[in-house]
């Protein structure tokens, strides 16, 4: 016995020891599991942190937006973007679980989105819940993991709605659903491939030809070997209907039927000029699609082609712009109902979503060409390949080419024609005068690209200074006792924030890339004080606006021969209605200007391909072109003899007393100048208007 209690049975201690050992083992296992769980959590947190940091770097690199450590109302959510298959509808359902969503921004083709909540507390709740959250994308089995970061604010630059490419039409509901069914059933995809209709299975689609086979090996048709059977009867009936209703002008004799499954497409291309006539039409059946159009200068337009719609390409859209369908399973479209109808897809990040593609069949009709193409788009015309290549420059593809183009076809030309140019520039434009006279007394005003200085003396109550890239034009201003100097429009030697106002009249259209045009606007804004205003004029592509012809078209005098004679007062009347532009638009840096004095290989590369030469006093067919200047006989560069007058390479009249010079222009579409100005954070548009063939903007520096 033990003191104070009964004796323990002999086997009791032995029985208790295994139980205690088992308890210790269980406790040890639980502790081990807790440690393992803790390690897993720690590892997951490290992974999330690593992914967050990577997302921060991506955002800074792509958009220049910095993530912050403290909580705000706004989050960026990585892996939840249109670029990796997340639709607006699905993401909105996810984020609205944590609070009231003020804004949801989904940039096109990006793997991230931005959400702004009504309060910081709601954003913090979403941040905690969504970091590391795994979700399954709708319409797919793909799982993705979301990662979040706080951002201070998101100032996304939305694109101004773009217009369709020139000479392009999309006609909705051209046929009924029943007619669509019959047309689709008329194509036998399962038949023998050796039948009368050429049928191929290409990498990106299935293709069947009628009338003539298009050869993909040489991008041409064999005009002497028509396919038996011709076009299907139902297609002939459709074409007759289109002719009767005026949708098309010519009856096609060749049909290509393409069938696209989701994920398939067609590479960007221009239908061969020598193979087919001007008018090309395409009927979209089975599903809608987004087709991408691209101008040689890089400008792109995404066009929605609704189901049962007819695409009609003529003129510039047929001959100059490439068109194609990007191989993908989803299209980025406007989320609003309006955006799913015909029109361009605007990159409004507040209204973009994804739409899954379905099987689409296109019926593309063309008319086989029986003679050579003589279009004005020589740079892309196979019939005219090599013609006039040495006389006209190409679209610039980089900064150096742009500088060389402007040096040869803007700056150099205005140096040569300065005296004649000045003699045709007498009448100030009324609305420019109105702007200058509206400014407060004593205002400091810079005229960037002042030409012969016709605006510098308009308002004697202003302190006006002018600058221009052309020394000869600046010398003419100096003879009038104006305060002027030679400089580059991209680098004006005036202190930032020192001007009450700036004007840029018919200058920016001489810059040959969108980046350089925007840089010229940015330089104007730099000169302004906060609250200062700038007036900008550029030549408009729309020379007929609201059923009214511009003075440029109205002032057409006589025949081409009369125009070319350039004698007497007629030349002055003609030229005085042209944009009052000077050589400022050349905008070459000093280094590039100095280098171009040596006419080496680099300078010659500019003129090895073509820009179209515009016919004066006619409507524009393209945005980028060369505009002729007929130098009046006896007028020459200041201080130069007739023998010293030089001409751009390849000019036909280079040996005549009345030579023709070619100036580079980029004419602006409606909304293009306004969109460029709005892309700058520090300005607001006070006024935009159309004035006799020019697009005009008055902006204010914030």
């Amino acid at each position: 016995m033990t003191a104070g209690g009964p004796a323990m049975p002999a086997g009791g201690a032995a029985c208790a020891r295994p139980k205690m050992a088992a308890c210790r083992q269980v406790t040890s296992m639980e502790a081990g599991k807790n440690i393992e769980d803790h390690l897993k959590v720690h590892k997951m947190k490290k992974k999330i942190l690593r992914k967050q940091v990577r997302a921060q770097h991506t955002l800074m690199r792509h958009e220049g937006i910095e993530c912050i450590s403290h909580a705000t109302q706004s989050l960026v959510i990585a892996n939840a973007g249109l670029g990796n298959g997340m639709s607006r509808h699905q993401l909105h359902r996810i984020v609205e679980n944590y609070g009231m969503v003020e804004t949801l921004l989904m940039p096109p083709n990006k793997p991230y989105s931005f959400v702004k909540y009504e309060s910081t507390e709601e954003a913090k709740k979403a941040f905690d819940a969504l970091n590391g959250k795994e979700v399954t994308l709708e319409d797919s089995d793909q799982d993705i993991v979301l990662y979040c970061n706080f951002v201070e604010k998101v100032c996304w630059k939305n694109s101004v709605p773009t217009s369709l490419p020139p000479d392009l039409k999309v006609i909705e509901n051209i046929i009924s659903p029943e007619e669509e069914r019959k047309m689709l059933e008329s194509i036998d995809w399962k038949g023998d491939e050796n039948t009368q209709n050429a049928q191929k299975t290409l990498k990106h689609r299935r293709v069947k030809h009628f009338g003539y086979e298009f050869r993909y090996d040489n991008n041409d048709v064999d005009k002497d070997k028509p396919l038996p059977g011709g076009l299907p009867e139902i297609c002939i009936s459709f074409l007759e209907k289109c002719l009767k209703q005026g949708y098309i002008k010519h009856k096609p004799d060749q049909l290509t039927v393409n069938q696209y499954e989701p994920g398939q497409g067609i590479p960007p291309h221009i239908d061969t000029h020598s193979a087919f006539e001007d008018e090309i039409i395409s009927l979209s059946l089975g599903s809608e699609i987004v087709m991408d159009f691209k101008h040689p200068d890089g400008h792109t337009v995404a066009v929605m082609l609704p189901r049962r719609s007819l695409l009609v390409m003529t003129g510039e859209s047929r001959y100059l712009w490439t068109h194609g369908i990007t191989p993908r399973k989803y299209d980025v479209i406007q989320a609003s109902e309006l955006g799913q109808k015909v029109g361009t897809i605007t990159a409004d990040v507040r209204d973009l979503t994804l739409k899954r593609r379905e099987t689409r069949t296109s019926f593309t009709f063309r008319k086989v060409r029986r003679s050579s193409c003589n279009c004005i788009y020589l740079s892309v015309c196979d019939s005219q390949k090599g013609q006039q290549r040495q006389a006209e420059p190409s679209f610039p593809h980089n900064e150096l080419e742009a500088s060389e183009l402007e040096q040869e076809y803007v700056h150099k030309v205005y140096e040569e024609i300065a005296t004649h140019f000045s003699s045709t520039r007498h009448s100030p434009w009324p609305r420019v005068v109105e702007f200058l006279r509206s400014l407060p007394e004593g205002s400091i005003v810079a005229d960037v690209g002042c030409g012969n200085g016709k605006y510098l003396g308009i308002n004697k109550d202003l302190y006006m200074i002018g600058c221009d890239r052309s020394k000869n034009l600046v010398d003419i201003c100096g003879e009038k006792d104006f305060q002027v100097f030679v400089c580059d429009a991209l680098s004006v030697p005036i202190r930032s924030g020192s001007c009450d106002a700036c004007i840029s009249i018919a200058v920016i259209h001489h810059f040959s890339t969108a980046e350089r045009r925007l840089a010229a606007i940015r330089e104007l804004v730099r000169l302004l004080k906060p609250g200062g205003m700038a007036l900008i004029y550029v030549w408009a592509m729309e020379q007929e606006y609201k059923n009214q012809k511009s003075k440029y078209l109205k002032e057409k005098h006589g025949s081409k021969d009369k125009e070319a004679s350039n004698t007497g007062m007629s030349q002055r009347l003609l030229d005085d209605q042209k944009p009052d532009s000077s050589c400022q638009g050349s905008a070459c840096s000093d280094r590039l200007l100095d280098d171009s004095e040596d006419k080496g290989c680099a300078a010659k590369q500019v003129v090895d391909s073509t820009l179209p030469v515009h016919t004066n006093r006619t409507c524009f067919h393209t945005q980028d072109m060369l505009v002729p200047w007929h130098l009046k006989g006896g007028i020459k560069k200041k201080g130069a003899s007739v023998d010293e007058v030089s001409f751009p390479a390849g000019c036909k009249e280079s040996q005549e007393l009345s030579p023709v010079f070619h100036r580079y222009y980029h004419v602006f579409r409606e909304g293009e100048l306004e969109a460029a100005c709005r892309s700058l954070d520090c300005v607001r548009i006070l006024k935009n208007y159309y004035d006799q063939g020019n697009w005009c903007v008055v902006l204010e520096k914030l």
Side-chain angles (χ1 to χ4, degrees):
M1 280 183 70
T2 57
M8 180 179 290
C15 183
R17 282 194 294 271
K19 290 182 179 180
M20 293 175 64
C23 288
R24 285 195 297 270
Q25 185 176 2
V26 169
T27 303
S28 178
M29 290 176 63
E30 289 178 346
K33 189 175 185 303
N34 288 339
I35 294 172
E36 185 178 342
D37 290 344
H38 178 75
L39 289 173
K40 284 183 178 179
V41 171
H42 180 69
K43 187 176 180 181
M44 179 58 69
K45 286 183 177 179
K46 285 184 64 177
K47 181 180 179 181
I48 291 174
L49 181 60
R50 188 170 66 250
K51 295 287 187 178
Q52 283 179 298
V53 171
R54 183 181 297 176
Q56 292 173 10
H57 292 162
T58 300
L59 190 63
M60 175 58 76
R61 185 171 67 253
H62 288 186
E63 313 298 347
I65 297 175
E66 185 176 3
C67 297
I68 54 179
S69 57
H70 62 271
T72 66
Q73 292 175 257
S74 301
L75 292 173
V76 57
I77 308 177
N79 291 342
L82 298 172
N84 55 342
M86 176 72 75
S87 71
R88 175 174 293 273
H89 180 68
Q90 181 180 8
L91 182 57
H92 194 276
R93 282 205 325 267
I94 293 172
V95 297
E96 69 179 355
N97 289 327
Y98 309 102
M100 182 63 68
V101 176
E102 279 193 5
T103 309
L104 180 60
L105 305 181
M106 302 188 74
N109 307 314
K110 301 294 185 181
Y112 42 78
S113 297
F114 301 90
V115 58
K116 182 181 180 182
Y117 285 95
E118 202 170 63
S119 69
T120 301
E121 291 72 23
E122 291 170 327
K124 181 68 169 63
K125 184 179 177 182
F127 177 88
D128 294 335
L130 294 180
N131 251 322
K133 181 179 177 65
E134 186 176 287
V135 298
T136 301
L137 294 175
E138 292 178 344
D139 298 324
S140 77
D141 297 327
Q142 182 183 357
D143 293 328
I144 60 171
V145 179
L146 306 180
Y147 300 100
C148 304
N149 283 288
F150 289 108
V151 291
E152 191 66 54
K153 61 179 180 179
V154 180
C155 298
W156 204 271
K157 302 178 183 69
N158 284 315
S159 298
V160 173
T162 55
S163 57
L164 294 173
D167 309 315
L168 184 144
K169 295 185 294 184
V170 182
I171 304 159
E172 290 188 84
N173 297 313
I174 189 77
I175 60 174
S176 67
E178 178 62 18
E179 289 172 314
E180 176 188 39
R181 182 186 64 79
K182 290 180 179 179
M183 290 190 77
L184 289 172
E185 289 177 352
S186 70
I187 305 301
D188 180 16
W189 294 107
K190 298 179 181 179
D192 183 2
E193 293 192 4
N194 294 320
T195 58
Q196 60 185 13
N197 303 116
Q199 178 173 324
K200 297 180 182 297
T201 301
L202 301 180
K203 180 180 180 181
H204 297 292
R205 63 200 186 279
R206 288 201 294 179
V207 180
K208 204 164 189 177
H209 301 285
F210 297 85
Y212 294 86
E213 181 182 2
F214 185 79
R215 297 277 304 277
Y216 293 97
D217 54 348
N218 60 4
N219 294 323
D220 206 347
V221 292
D222 192 338
K223 301 173 185 178
D224 299 324
K225 293 183 179 180
L227 296 172
L231 275 58
E233 283 298 323
I234 192 170
C235 293
I236 294 174
S237 299
F238 167 73
L239 294 173
E240 289 173 348
K241 171 185 171 183
C242 291
L243 281 165
K244 185 177 180 181
Q245 295 184 355
Y247 296 140
I248 60 176
K249 297 178 181 178
H250 309 288
K251 189 174 182 179
D253 54 8
Q254 193 273 340
L255 166 63
T256 299
V257 181
N258 290 278
Q259 188 176 80
Y260 306 86
E261 297 296 334
Q264 295 180 325
I266 184 170
H269 67 286
I270 299 173
D271 286 71
T272 308
H273 288 206
S274 62
F276 303 111
E277 294 283 356
D278 183 11
E279 202 169 56
I280 294 176
I281 65 175
S282 185
L283 181 64
S284 294
L285 304 181
S287 178
E288 66 276 346
I289 199 74
V290 173
M291 181 172 283
D292 299 309
F293 288 81
K294 186 174 183 180
H295 189 273
D297 68 1
H299 176 60
T300 60
V301 178
V303 178
M304 168 63 77
L305 303 181
R307 184 175 180 176
R308 297 190 296 277
S309 69
L310 183 68
L311 171 70
V312 182
M313 294 184 291
T314 61
E316 182 177 324
S317 65
R318 179 266 186 267
Y319 286 124
L320 187 61
W321 292 62
T322 65
H323 61 278
I325 298 173
T326 304
R328 58 192 175 207
K329 294 185 178 180
Y330 296 87
D331 275 323
V332 177
I333 64 169
Q334 253 75 62
S336 59
E337 182 180 352
L338 177 65
Q340 296 184 31
K341 296 182 179 180
V342 61
T344 60
I345 306 299
T346 304
D348 183 351
V349 297
R350 297 164 298 182
D351 188 39
L352 293 180
T353 189
L354 295 176
K355 180 169 178 55
R356 187 175 181 84
R357 285 185 180 175
E358 299 175 4
T359 300
R360 170 182 175 268
T361 303
S362 67
F363 284 59
T364 301
F365 299 91
R366 309 174 181 90
K367 184 173 180 60
V368 173
R369 185 183 292 277
R370 300 296 174 179
S371 59
S372 297
C373 178
N374 62 351
C375 69
I376 64 172
Y377 308 102
L378 304 183
S379 61
V380 290
C381 182
D382 61 308
S383 290
Q384 305 175 79
K385 190 174 183 180
Q387 295 182 22
Q388 302 183 31
R389 291 281 173 167
Q390 298 303 315
E392 301 159 6
S394 65
F395 296 103
H397 299 293
N398 54 51
E399 190 74 6
L400 179 60
E401 288 184 6
S403 297
E404 291 171 344
L405 170 63
E406 293 160 11
Q407 163 69 3
E408 184 72 15
Y409 287 89
V410 184
H411 168 55
K412 183 176 178 181
V413 172
Y414 279 103
E415 287 293 77
E416 298 288 358
I417 69 173
T419 304
H420 182 205
F421 177 84
S422 179
S423 72
T424 66
R425 285 345 190 226
H426 300 289
S427 304
W429 293 349
R431 297 191 72 169
V432 180
V433 173
E434 178 186 335
F435 173 81
L436 292 173
R437 288 180 175 167
S438 70
L439 298 174
E441 182 179 348
S443 295
I444 299 173
V445 183
D447 184 349
V448 180
C450 62
N452 69 344
K454 74 177 184 180
Y455 293 109
L456 294 177
I458 291 296
N459 186 348
K460 302 298 183 181
D461 293 330
L462 305 177
Y463 183 78
M464 291 198 68
I465 51 176
C467 58
D468 201 280
R469 190 61 190 81
S470 167
K471 182 181 182 302
N472 290 329
L473 285 172
V474 167
D475 288 344
I476 292 172
C477 292
E479 293 170 358
K480 302 175 184 179
D481 293 327
F482 292 139
Q483 299 297 314
V484 290
F485 54 89
V486 176
C487 82
D488 189 308
L490 297 184
S491 181
V492 180
I494 298 176
R495 189 178 62 210
S496 299
S498 59
C499 295
D500 298 291
C502 293
I503 61 173
S504 171
I505 309 303
V507 173
I508 294 174
H509 51 222
H510 281 310
F511 291 98
S512 56
T513 66
E515 292 78 12
R516 293 168 74 81
R517 293 188 284 271
L518 180 60
I521 298 173
R522 186 181 291 111
E523 183 69 357
L524 290 174
V525 174
R526 181 189 67 80
L527 302 180
L528 294 173
K529 300 175 181 177
M533 296 185 296
L535 172 64
I536 303 172
Y537 268 58
V538 294
W539 210 0
M541 185 167 187
E542 298 84 355
Q543 290 298 305
E544 290 191 34
Y545 187 67
K546 294 184 177 179
N547 298 321
Q548 293 289 323
K549 290 185 178 181
S550 69
K551 286 185 179 180
Y552 176 69
L553 296 183
K554 286 180 179 179
E555 295 292 335
K556 186 171 185 177
H557 288 259
S559 66
K560 293 182 180 179
D561 292 337
K562 185 175 180 180
E563 183 185 68
S565 67
N566 299 308
T567 59
M569 194 64 183
S570 62
Q571 174 69 15
R572 178 176 299 176
L573 291 172
L574 283 169
D575 291 334
D576 205 39
Q577 300 302 329
K578 295 179 183 178
D580 189 12
S581 49
S582 72
C583 197
Q584 180 62 42
S586 65
C588 303
S589 68
D590 290 339
R591 180 184 63 80
L592 290 172
L593 286 172
D594 293 339
D595 290 347
S596 65
E597 297 298 324
D598 178 15
K599 300 182 181 299
C601 296
K604 292 181 180 178
Q605 286 179 354
V606 176
V607 296
D608 282 343
S609 59
T610 60
L611 273 169
V613 176
H614 177 62
T615 301
N616 281 334
R617 305 294 157 185
T618 64
C619 291
F620 297 119
H621 298 289
T622 182
Q623 283 190 269
D624 297 88
M625 74 203 81
L626 300 175
V627 177
W629 177 278
H630 297 266
L631 188 66
K632 184 178 177 181
I635 299 291
K636 55 185 179 294
K637 183 174 66 174
K638 181 181 177 182
S641 66
V642 173
D643 293 336
E644 289 174 327
V645 177
S646 58
F647 314 100
C651 182
K652 292 181 180 179
E653 293 83 359
S654 60
Q655 304 303 318
E656 300 175 3
L657 292 178
S658 297
V660 177
F661 293 91
H662 292 95
R663 298 166 294 161
Y664 169 80
Y665 280 87
H666 170 88
V667 289
F668 281 64
R669 298 182 187 279
E670 182 175 6
E672 184 179 349
L673 175 61
E674 182 184 357
C677 294
R678 290 190 188 281
S679 70
L680 301 176
D681 293 331
C682 54
V683 304
R684 66 168 175 164
I685 306 296
L686 298 180
K687 187 188 300 183
N688 61 85
Y689 57 93
Y690 180 87
D691 185 16
Q692 284 301 333
N694 298 278
W695 290 115
C696 319
V697 160
V698 178
L699 61 82
E700 179 186 23
K701 184 174 182 178
L702 300 178

